[in-house]
Amino acid sequence: MSTTAAQTLAGQRVTTAGVVFFTASAATPLTVCAAIVTTGLAATGRLGLPLAFVVIALVLAVFSVGYVAMARRVPNAGAFYTYVSLGLGRPAGVGASWVALLAYNALQIGLYGAIGPTAAPLLSRWFGVDLQWWVIALIAWAVVAVLGLRRIKHSARVLLVLLAAEVALVLVYTVANFANPGDGSLGFEGLAPADLLGAALGPLLGLAVLGFVGFEQSAVFSEQASPSAVRRATVICVGGLGLLYTLSSWSTIQAAGPEQVVAAAAAQPAGVLFSLAEKNLGPWAADVGQVLLVTSVLAALISFHATCSRYTFALGRDRVLPAVLGHTTPRTGQPGPASLSQSAIALIVIIAYAVGGWDPLTQLFYIGGTAGALGVLMLLSATAFATVRYLREHEDDDLRSARRFAPPIAAVAVTAILVLVVTNYALLLGVPPTSPLRWVIPVVFGLVAVAGCAYGVLLRKTRPQVYDAIGRGARALADR
Amino acid sequence: MAGVTGPIPPRQTSVPGLLADEFFLTGLDDVTGEQRLEPRALGVGLGAAVLGELVLGGRLVIDDGRLRAFDEPCADELQNRVRQWVRKDRSVVLARDWIRVLAAREIADLVRHRLHAANKVVRSTRRRLLRKPLEIYAPPSLSTAAASGVRIAGNLNVPRDLNPADLLLAGLLRATGRDRYVLSHCDPSVHDELTRQLRRNLGPDSSQLLAHTTDVLVTETLTPF
């Protein structure tokens, strides 16, 4: 054997590019540019989204300093849950894990509401078949459920190609938009502070956060990639996605014309990006975009399904959820029971929406997405505080000043955004200001967090061995 | 192994020390002879099992997660090879990393070779529709493959203490999820019995080895690539 063991090990490591691709494909850039941007314009009636993306990218960059430092010290694939357990105590960790489960499930299941309406026009135009949204959702569900049980190594390559195509397409659209401004010349509408400030500030920032959900996945690789690869990948993802979203949303506003874009977005919620592309580049560009949008939503479904089942698996391993969920299937090495349970929940929701006749786009996708964004914001906020505390308690000499000052700033900033989002939640949901949903969803998340903490305290009393293992990951299992 | 009944086979069916062989055989399907463990889990489990052979043979200790191999040759060629790797190559010291290195160096092939050279398995290929042929390394009589699983299940059922090699094997089966299959015909209490024995009887080196194996396997499960 001519290579050393370290070289063999290095050859097995996940590279920076691998982490970037996985993390960015979880964020599904095309879905964000096509759906979230137009939703933001239609729901808020304000143009501040491009600037909101800049603000959130900066906040998340500051957040990442502490997050990555934590990932280096605590290499554990449980990410949020582990960090909160270590920083804020185990009961808070259990609370965070419950919030995470609810949030990721909401995001994943919400996407089933988007796949029908995006795929249906294509199917009817090309094949002349008119399918109900839930038929398409059930087909997607079956694909996700089957892939969720297998190791996705091979489909990961497909996802890579799709991601590259998505990013390239968004860039082409952006260039075309800039080349054909609606008012004849480019302006700063969308990037001016006045567009962002005001009542729409909270919802716009909340929507922008939703666009970045998935970036936190980089820490999952902290055991399999080198620390510098995780750091680089996080920076590339936050910076790259921020740049892409900002340029795309700003160019959309410019191409549609700042005066008309809100009305256009309200008229066709998922179509502004594509109708602009059709006008600027020709029908092929819109067709390619719509096909990629369907695959992008499917990729997001697969990726969030993996996140959900891995979270469930990690909690089952720690016995916070029933132990059976912490088992892997020997044939595939994948968390089978956790994956099946997530699929079961999704199926129930799809059937309930189909039977109830509710609108998939506004009542499943938007509500699932915004509820998930709220949960992820809560997690980011808790993790930021946990990072502050953990890094302060485990201070060592190599703690550079950036790592000393960044976590408290991030904690305050993320919490401020959370407060803004909760106070303007109706606007973000796109429901009337009197709708009970505006307080039901935050209250549910709050209750889940409190219930999780209470369960953590209960565990300390009733099953101290389980309690001790919380957040310690696999290492605790052998002592059990 | 469903439906296996009758008296527990006598203990001498186990050849002491060749933990990796037994781990490999326990993973085989008792009807088709296919390996039921997923390749990565098999590699990790076999890497740990070969290190376990060295630990049980007194050629290797695990000190605070770090491997230390002694300069004392082993009779078995594969064990010797791995011992030399660990002894001479100090670029990697953690047990966790060595398990990954062994998995990456196709330890499964090396173990298959060892089994084949010792005439414990025969090689056959099975053609499959639209897929490349499957290579099967299985003992001529598949009940031989199940023997160690049956022995472990029987002893846990009594309950009777497992010998150190069987206990480590059972621990590795649990880490890879194969225990649910091996113990599927037993009373559910055998799982608790195994937990008890692992906590009480497993030596410090084996127990660290198992911890690191679990660590690697969980990480592999949690990361998508």
Side-chain angles (χ1 to χ4, degrees):
Chain A
M1 193 65 57
S2 54
T3 51
T4 66
Q7 284 165 331
T8 310
L9 202 57
Q12 294 301 300
R13 285 239 162 94
V14 181
T15 58
T16 306
V19 182
V20 168
F21 274 119
F22 175 74
T23 311
S25 65
T28 57
L30 187 62
T31 317
V32 173
C33 292
I36 292 184
V37 170
T38 41
T39 315
L41 292 167
T44 61
R46 303 292 296 265
L47 304 180
L49 204 52
L51 190 59
F53 280 127
V54 176
V55 171
I56 294 297
L58 289 176
V59 169
L60 291 183
V62 176
F63 172 83
S64 300
V65 174
Y67 188 62
V68 172
M70 188 98 177
R72 216 174 47 139
R73 281 174 179 72
V74 194
N76 183 300
F80 284 153
Y81 154 64
T82 316
Y83 300 168
V84 174
S85 307
L86 291 174
L88 302 179
R90 295 186 177 109
V94 179
S97 71
W98 286 22
V99 170
L101 270 186
L102 184 62
Y104 285 121
N105 271 301
L107 287 169
Q108 203 266 352
I109 297 171
L111 281 167
Y112 282 116
I115 192 141
T118 48
L122 290 176
L123 291 173
S124 108
R125 190 145 50 93
W126 291 348
F127 306 109
V129 284
D130 283 311
L131 292 178
Q132 291 284 329
W133 73 267
W134 52 265
V135 177
I136 300 167
L138 285 178
I139 295 169
W141 175 86
V143 171
V144 173
V146 169
L147 286 181
L149 290 174
R150 342 194 86 226
R151 193 171 276 285
I152 55 169
K153 195 175 170 189
H154 299 293
S155 47
R157 300 225 172 92
V158 180
L159 292 184
L160 286 189
V161 175
L162 290 176
L163 174 72
E166 277 179 43
V167 172
L169 189 78
V170 170
L171 288 175
V172 169
Y173 281 8
T174 304
V175 171
N177 283 340
F178 279 135
N180 303 287
D183 288 356
S185 65
L186 290 177
F188 277 99
E189 293 87 358
L191 286 174
D195 292 325
L196 182 59
L197 299 173
L201 178 63
L204 286 174
L205 292 178
L207 278 169
V209 167
L210 187 54
F212 286 94
V213 168
F215 90 98
E216 75 282 354
Q217 297 286 315
S218 60
V220 167
F221 287 95
S222 51
E223 265 184 67
Q224 284 198 323
S226 68
S228 56
V230 172
R231 190 172 57 231
R232 272 196 301 269
T234 312
V235 170
I236 292 172
C237 277
V238 170
L241 290 176
L243 194 67
L244 189 72
Y245 294 159
T246 306
L247 288 177
S248 166
S249 54
W250 181 39
S251 76
T252 304
I253 292 173
Q254 293 304 323
E259 312 294 327
Q260 300 87 34
V261 69
V262 171
Q268 34 172 186
V272 174
L273 194 69
F274 302 126
S275 59
L276 284 173
E278 193 168 348
K279 196 180 83 188
N280 295 336
L281 294 164
W284 65 269
D287 282 353
V288 172
Q290 273 170 334
V291 172
L292 279 177
L293 182 60
V294 175
T295 55
S296 156
V297 172
L298 194 60
L301 277 169
I302 294 168
S303 140
F304 279 120
H305 173 80
T307 309
C308 285
S309 59
R310 275 160 234 289
Y311 239 98
T312 313
F313 170 81
L315 295 178
R317 271 271 163 192
D318 285 3
R319 307 286 163 96
V320 175
L321 289 178
V324 66
L325 295 171
H327 288 166
T328 52
T329 312
R331 282 203 80 167
T332 57
Q334 293 300 91
S339 168
L340 287 174
S341 63
Q342 204 279 332
S343 296
I345 297 171
L347 183 64
I348 292 169
V349 175
I350 295 173
I351 292 175
Y353 268 78
V355 172
W358 294 307
D359 184 65
L361 208 55
T362 56
Q363 280 167 318
L364 185 55
F365 175 57
Y366 291 168
I367 289 181
T370 39
L374 180 70
V376 171
L377 257 177
M378 287 171 71
L379 288 171
L380 286 176
S381 168
T383 308
F385 280 107
T387 313
V388 172
R389 215 166 131 205
Y390 185 85
L391 292 181
R392 185 158 296 162
E393 279 169 11
H394 297 75
E395 209 161 351
D396 50 34
D397 293 335
D398 77 319
L399 201 62
R400 276 178 276 151
S401 56
R403 289 198 203 124
R404 207 178 299 255
F405 295 116
I409 297 173
V412 172
V414 174
T415 312
I417 295 171
L418 179 63
V419 171
L420 278 172
V421 166
V422 172
T423 46
N424 298 295
Y425 206 55
L427 202 53
L428 182 61
L429 282 168
V431 295
T434 51
S435 163
L437 272 180
R438 76 184 191 284
W439 55 264
V440 166
I441 293 174
V443 165
V444 165
F445 270 104
L447 286 179
V448 165
V450 171
C453 293
Y455 185 66
V457 174
L458 186 73
L459 279 180
R460 178 163 55 191
K461 293 230 170 65
T462 55
R463 291 152 76 197
Q465 214 170 359
V466 171
Y467 181 79
D468 279 343
I470 290 173
R472 284 178 56 204
R475 229 150 297 171
L477 286 169
D479 311 342
R480 189 173 287 159
Chain B
M1 206 175 310
V4 174
T5 49
I8 303 161
R11 278 180 179 226
Q12 60 265 25
T13 51
S14 88
V15 184
L18 295 184
L19 190 61
D21 290 3
E22 300 208 341
F23 182 80
F24 183 89
L25 294 175
T26 319
L28 297 180
D29 188 293
D30 58 350
V31 177
T32 65
E34 282 174 50
Q35 181 56 250
R36 283 300 178 216
L37 280 170
E38 183 254 347
R40 298 223 280 193
L42 182 69
V44 170
L46 287 177
V50 173
L51 294 179
E53 289 176 10
L54 291 169
V55 165
L56 293 172
R59 303 298 201 283
L60 186 77
V61 289
I62 306 180
D63 180 12
D64 194 21
R66 289 155 198 274
L67 292 189
R68 204 146 44 81
F70 297 123
D71 189 11
E72 194 183 329
C74 326
D76 180 74
E77 197 191 335
L78 175 58
Q79 285 182 13
N80 221 20
R81 195 158 159 196
V82 172
R83 186 185 62 84
Q84 296 279 19
W85 282 350
V86 175
R87 218 172 70 76
K88 293 196 171 146
D89 190 342
R90 304 304 293 167
S91 63
V92 163
V93 290
L94 291 180
R96 184 151 44 112
D97 293 340
W98 267 111
I99 293 171
R100 288 204 183 107
V101 170
L102 292 178
R105 287 184 180 170
E106 309 294 352
I107 190 80
D109 285 347
L110 301 178
V111 172
R112 271 190 209 105
H113 272 174
R114 183 170 77 176
L115 280 162
H116 199 237
N119 282 325
K120 287 188 187 170
V121 295
V122 286
R123 180 172 169 274
S124 59
T125 48
R126 182 172 304 146
R127 289 202 290 182
R128 297 180 294 180
L129 190 66
L130 301 178
R131 288 155 83 191
K132 66 177 183 192
L134 185 70
E135 281 199 346
I136 290 176
Y137 288 82
S141 155
L142 281 167
S143 58
T144 329
S148 41
V150 173
R151 185 177 66 236
I152 288 172
N155 282 333
L156 288 175
N157 235 346
V158 174
R160 182 162 54 205
D161 279 356
L162 299 175
N163 67 40
D166 275 358
L167 188 56
L168 185 51
L169 176 61
L172 290 174
L173 292 175
R174 166 170 284 187
T176 46
R178 185 68 186 169
D179 63 324
R180 296 197 295 286
Y181 185 79
V182 170
L183 303 177
S184 59
H185 62 289
C186 301
D187 188 82
S189 67
V190 296
H191 291 277
D192 297 330
E193 175 60 23
L194 177 57
T195 309
R196 240 190 322 276
Q197 292 199 20
L198 283 174
R199 204 182 303 148
R200 199 181 50 213
N201 299 348
L202 202 61
D205 293 298
S206 299
S207 144
Q208 283 193 54
L209 182 64
L210 207 52
H212 283 273
T213 313
T214 312
D215 224 15
V216 174
L217 283 166
V218 171
T219 309
E220 297 258 311
T221 308
L222 285 170
T223 34
F225 290 137

